[in-house]
Amino acid sequence: KPDISVELNGVRQVFKDANGQTVYPIIYNGTAYLPVRAVSAIMKEPVEWDSGSKTVYIGKTLAYPVKSSAPIPSDAAAPADESDLAVSAGLGPSMVTGYLKSDVLVMYDFEIQTFKDADGMRVYPLNYNGSTYLPIRAVSGLMNEPITWDGTAKKISIGDGEAEEPVV
């Protein structure tokens, strides 16, 4: 859904996959999803996938149980610039085939996470094009940030609109 924008603290974000290609939110049954790499970058947390156990680790991971030493895929989410906005403005929504993954476990700092939609119904990770997607509402919950949906502007806002102060 390139026609849906996602803002973090008032700043529109653009998301990239591991190959540097722009990716967009996916809407499934009224729930908006983002790829795990984008989730990790928004949260400024490490991420790791363990295929053997089908587990997504955010924060503390198997390879980096101490978060402070772990790399964060900062290229996966960044403030949108004019060229990003021009490209997405020319694209319309399209249908894609994704799969719900109720067998995928998501852990944040080694704690199992379950996710609910705005109506309190359980939602699961989604797999699209080899990438795992998580509900955006789950991201805001893990960050302890409010989330709002503006249907007229087709905009999802995470945070209070206050830009973060740079860490010095």
Side-chain angles (χ1 to χ4, degrees):
K1 298 288 276 180
D3 59 333
I4 293 180
S5 64
V6 178
E7 289 186 354
L8 178 62
N9 290 320
V11 178
R12 186 169 176 172
Q13 301 291 302
V14 63
F15 307 104
K16 306 277 182 177
D17 65 14
N19 300 318
Q21 298 296 311
T22 301
V23 292
Y24 301 99
I26 291 177
I27 306 296
Y28 179 78
N29 280 347
T31 297
Y33 290 79
L34 281 178
V36 168
R37 286 185 82 247
V39 169
S40 168
I42 285 176
M43 293 178 64
K44 296 180 177 55
E45 296 275 8
V47 65
E48 183 178 327
W49 166 250
D50 179 56
S51 60
S53 64
K54 295 183 181 178
T55 302
V56 173
Y57 293 91
I58 301 173
K60 296 177 182 177
T61 68
L62 296 176
Y64 294 96
V66 177
K67 291 195 288 189
S68 61
S69 63
I72 298 169
S74 58
D75 60 337
D81 62 23
E82 292 301 318
S83 65
D84 296 316
L85 299 177
V87 168
S88 65
L91 298 173
S94 62
M95 295 295 289
V96 297
T97 301
Y99 305 93
L100 284 181
K101 300 298 287 180
S102 59
D103 61 338
V104 169
L105 189 63
V106 178
M107 296 188 84
Y108 180 59
D109 287 344
F110 295 134
E111 291 185 22
I112 296 172
Q113 302 296 308
T114 57
F115 308 115
K116 298 191 185 288
D117 65 14
D119 297 323
M121 300 299 294
R122 175 99 187 252
V123 292
Y124 296 95
L126 187 83
N127 182 285
Y128 167 67
N129 207 20
S131 293
T132 300
Y133 282 64
L134 295 179
I136 297 175
R137 181 170 299 283
V139 177
S140 71
L142 292 173
M143 295 172 66
N144 291 318
E145 293 283 358
I147 185 170
T148 56
W149 163 249
D150 180 340
T152 305
K154 294 186 177 181
K155 177 175 69 176
I156 298 167
S157 298
I158 300 171
D160 57 13
E162 301 283 323
E164 291 182 4
E165 295 296 321
V167 177
V168 183

